[in-house]
Amino acid sequence: MSLYKYSSPAVFFPLAGKLVPWFTVLAVVFFVIGLYLGLVAAPEDFQQGEVYRIIFIHVPAAWMAMFIYLVMAMYGVMALTFNTRLSAMMMEALAPTGAMFTALALWTGALWGKPTWGTYWAWDARMTSTLILLFLYIGYLALVTRLKTRSVPIRLARCWSSSVPLMCRSFIFPLSGGIPCIRVHRCR
């Protein structure tokens, strides 16, 4: 069985239409279970108290915002390389969801930051990068909306996702203890 046949919208959309109700039920069930475990069943933190519970919403939202952006970039590369319409459609479909998760991550981070740090916003590199990610999502959505109404090629909108190195440098490397700068520090 060849998976290439699913790159055609005529083949993919009927299959997706049949699977959406099942995935919706699974998503709602896992969402309710996750909210119960994070907001009710988890014990109170000994340092932060009840405030830390927002982390159970904030962290998954931030990870989903970054993951969706990387998936959009992969679809952008596929759209440019193989010239598949479905890849461009998937990018357009993922962008509003990514923007929503990014806005949720910024909002919940501010709600957690006020009682924890005493301020809603500190110009930390990850916070600023998340704000830039939100601007990238909004810019992509504006660009795609503008290009749909005109006869300009959609390739410019696909290239918008090529800003992945900015996001990788800002999110993935600091989280893994990665490469803070080019200089090499020697252990003594």
Side-chain angles (χ1 to χ4, degrees), residues 65-81 87 90-92 94-95 137 140 157-165 167-168:
M66 292 179 281
F67 179 71
I68 289 172
Y69 197 78
L70 291 174
V71 170
M72 280 180 61
M74 289 188 311
Y75 277 125
V77 168
M78 287 171 49
L80 285 172
T81 306
S87 297
M90 291 298 287
M91 284 182 66
E92 291 175 36
L94 286 170
Y137 274 124
Y140 177 80
R158 292 178 191 154
C159 292
W160 188 267
S161 284
S162 63
S163 59
V164 169
M167 293 298 113
C168 287

Side-chain angles (χ1 to χ4, degrees), residues 48 51 111-119:
Q48 297 181 36
V51 174
L111 288 179
W112 175 78
K114 179 63 176 173
T116 305
W117 297 332
T119 181

Side-chain angles (χ1 to χ4, degrees), residues 7-8 75 78-89 158:
S7 66
S8 169
Y75 277 125
M78 287 171 49
L80 285 172
T81 306
F82 302 115
N83 200 20
T84 57
R85 289 181 296 149
L86 186 61
S87 297
M89 290 179 193
R158 292 178 191 154

Side-chain angles (χ1 to χ4, degrees), residues 1-186:
M1 178 169 105
S2 175
L3 293 178
Y4 288 114
K5 71 178 183 178
Y6 292 112
S7 66
S8 169
V11 176
F12 179 76
F13 285 147
L15 175 65
K18 292 176 186 173
L19 294 177
V20 162
W22 295 99
F23 285 133
T24 302
V25 169
L26 279 173
V28 169
V29 167
F30 285 133
F31 179 74
V32 169
I33 290 171
L35 278 181
Y36 172 76
L37 291 174
L39 301 178
V40 177
E44 182 178 330
D45 187 55
F46 75 98
Q47 283 184 328
Q48 297 181 36
E50 296 293 334
V51 174
Y52 93 103
R53 291 185 190 277
I54 201 158
I55 295 300
F56 293 115
I57 297 171
H58 170 71
V59 173
W63 275 102
M64 283 303 297
M66 292 179 281
F67 179 71
I68 289 172
Y69 197 78
L70 291 174
V71 170
M72 280 180 61
M74 289 188 311
Y75 277 125
V77 168
M78 287 171 49
L80 285 172
T81 306
F82 302 115
N83 200 20
T84 57
R85 289 181 296 149
L86 186 61
S87 297
M89 290 179 193
M90 291 298 287
M91 284 182 66
E92 291 175 36
L94 286 170
T97 307
M100 183 265 311
F101 275 118
T102 308
L104 182 65
L106 287 169
W107 182 62
T108 55
L111 288 179
W112 175 78
K114 179 63 176 173
T116 305
W117 297 332
T119 181
Y120 288 110
W121 185 266
W123 286 97
D124 181 57
R126 287 184 207 142
M127 286 186 220
T128 309
S129 297
T130 306
L131 183 63
I132 291 170
L133 181 62
L134 180 64
F135 292 153
L136 286 172
Y137 274 124
I138 292 170
Y140 177 80
L141 288 169
L143 187 62
V144 166
T145 303
R146 180 73 176 150
L147 292 179
K148 274 189 172 179
T149 60
R150 310 189 96 188
S151 60
V152 180
I154 201 73
R155 287 187 177 208
L156 287 174
R158 292 178 191 154
C159 292
W160 188 267
S161 284
S162 63
S163 59
V164 169
L166 169 70
M167 293 298 113
C168 287
R169 171 67 176 97
S170 299
F171 289 113
I172 295 171
F173 289 150
L175 291 176
S176 64
I179 307 162
C181 60
I182 298 174
R183 290 179 285 167
V184 177
H185 298 282
R186 295 183 185 198

